[in-house]
Amino acid sequence: MTDTLWYTRCPVPTASGLAHSLGWLGDTAQRNGLQFGVLQDAGPELAGSHFDHGLSGLIREGGNVPAIAARAQGSPTRLIGLTWIDEAQAILVGPDSPVRTPAELAGLRIGIPAWAQDQARSFPRAMALHGFTSALRLGGLGLADVTVVELGVERDPQVRTEIQQRARRVTWGAEELVRGEVDAIYVKGARAQEVAVQHGLRVAVDLDATETRRLRVNNGTPRPITVHQDLLDSAPEVVIGFLAQSLRAADWAADNLDGVRSVLQRETLSGPEGVEAAYGAEFHRGLHPTLDEDRVELLGVQKQFLYTHGFLTADFDLESWVAPEPLARARELLAAGRVAA
């Protein structure tokens, strides 16, 4: 059994991220006789576990591309929760571009990040490819109707980076678009909104405006919570406690928008305007993880997209990945008032 509960997440709105910021995850580990470690603060020898989930004591909440790719490669993980927070997704064009509708994307040079070191680390490519595929579909088009221009990327992105590096990672292609090397790029999230304003870039397709969630499926929608099977087997009460504190944090967030935005500004490296532009005014009311059938189905949409476009080494059965018991037990604890404050 591991002696440390390890936690890793992406810089986006999550109940577990709030629970960590409030000190509740560390308390849960301590009450169960474990140390608590955050992967972003660990050394480089552990950093790769954010992508391959190879650390036996790890719980991860983050983008679904690395989580699905790790499972496809045989990593012994289980899916214990899913969240859905709509974050701004858009296709940007230059300020002088005439493109204003999805159909007008036809014939453009679109910027797509190149392959990274492996499939899990190639999440920027997967995000842009799926974002453009959805935008093109809105216009009755496909990838055959545009020209793909590959953008440079970090081949081995790290979970612990300097502010400048992290800021760059959410805006692949902005510089190339400004220089006229591509005609359109995909962006998402709080920092991307600010970069668009800084460079005078214009939204040609607002993917958040689409009514169907299927066209908004991407790396962060839905966002999985995964746990290493060893931790689930050896310390199920720790996993249940983690989820219970996440549910508690989601309850706290529903009535504390200012507190949530304060945490997000630190995590996303954005100002308050960027956070509100990316996530809206009501996102704090929907942070609760679930394993509802519709969210699992939407994760299946993403899995099929990744498999079709070469981001998975093999396909796998999604239903067998799901472990519903920890979340059900966490809900029972919270309802009974047995989650330690």
Side-chain angles (χ1 to χ4, degrees):
M1 175 178 171
T2 181
D3 61 357
T4 303
L5 170 61
W6 288 100
Y7 169 61
T8 184
R9 84 285 189 195
C10 298
V12 291
T14 62
S16 66
L18 293 174
H20 166 55
S21 295
L22 294 166
W24 299 347
L25 298 186
D27 289 346
T28 295
Q30 186 176 27
R31 280 192 294 272
N32 286 277
L34 298 178
Q35 300 179 57
F36 180 70
V38 177
L39 210 61
Q40 280 77 359
D41 300 327
E45 67 277 3
L46 296 181
S49 294
H50 182 81
F51 297 103
D52 63 26
H53 210 131
L55 192 60
S56 63
L58 181 65
I59 299 179
R60 178 189 188 278
E61 181 166 10
N64 60 46
V65 175
I68 295 172
R71 178 67 176 187
Q73 290 175 332
S75 181
T77 62
R78 300 300 300 278
L79 176 66
I80 57 174
L82 286 167
T83 58
W84 182 289
I85 300 296
D86 276 311
E87 51 187 342
Q89 297 187 66
I91 305 302
L92 297 184
V93 294
D96 299 325
S97 173
V99 175
R100 296 184 179 277
T101 67
E104 292 173 326
L105 294 173
L108 296 192
R109 300 166 299 164
I110 65 170
I112 301 291
W115 286 98
Q117 178 175 298
D118 55 31
Q119 288 147 315
R121 288 172 175 80
S122 297
F123 66 92
R125 182 179 183 87
M127 286 197 303
L129 200 61
H130 205 163
F132 269 110
T133 298
S134 296
L136 289 164
R137 184 177 299 174
L138 285 169
L141 305 171
L143 289 171
D145 296 302
V146 294
T147 299
V148 171
V149 177
E150 292 205 342
L151 306 170
V153 295
E154 295 174 81
R155 284 188 49 77
D156 184 16
Q158 299 296 311
V159 294
R160 184 181 183 183
T161 62
E162 297 297 327
I163 287 178
Q164 293 85 352
Q165 291 173 308
R166 192 190 295 180
R168 181 178 182 273
R169 284 174 54 196
V170 298
T171 53
W172 297 276
E175 294 176 359
E176 289 88 343
L177 181 56
V178 169
R179 293 196 299 263
E181 297 168 10
V182 297
D183 302 312
I185 60 172
Y186 165 86
V187 298
K188 69 101 177 174
R191 180 61 184 150
Q193 297 299 302
E194 294 184 340
V195 169
V197 172
Q198 290 168 8
H199 289 289
L201 305 178
R202 187 172 54 76
V203 173
V205 182
D206 180 3
L207 287 167
D208 290 331
T210 60
E211 293 185 4
T212 172
R213 281 191 166 189
R214 281 178 172 262
L215 291 178
R216 303 199 304 275
V217 168
N218 210 299
N219 184 45
T221 42
R223 183 173 288 111
I225 307 172
T226 53
V227 61
H228 197 285
Q229 184 74 60
D230 288 352
L231 181 62
L232 186 57
D233 290 341
S234 63
E237 68 283 354
V238 174
V239 179
I240 293 168
F242 176 100
L243 290 169
Q245 295 291 12
S246 296
L247 291 168
R248 177 186 167 209
D251 286 346
W252 171 87
D255 297 316
N256 199 343
L257 178 57
D258 289 341
V260 174
R261 282 179 173 165
S262 177
V263 172
L264 277 181
Q265 286 172 43
R266 294 195 302 270
E267 292 217 339
T268 64
L269 306 173
S270 299
E273 296 83 4
V275 170
E276 183 167 359
Y279 304 110
E282 298 294 328
F283 73 92
H284 63 299
R285 303 187 188 280
L287 294 174
H288 296 78
T290 76
L291 285 170
D292 293 346
E293 183 178 344
D294 62 330
R295 286 189 183 174
V296 175
E297 180 184 354
L298 290 167
L299 187 67
V301 171
Q302 173 74 333
K303 181 176 75 75
Q304 185 58 46
F305 179 88
L306 296 176
Y307 182 65
T308 300
H309 291 274
F311 291 93
L312 306 184
T313 55
D315 201 358
F316 64 91
D317 178 60
L318 185 61
E319 293 297 330
S320 66
W321 193 26
V322 178
E325 297 85 1
L327 186 58
R329 287 285 296 119
R331 285 175 173 160
E332 291 172 0
L333 288 179
L334 191 64
R338 294 168 55 196
V339 180

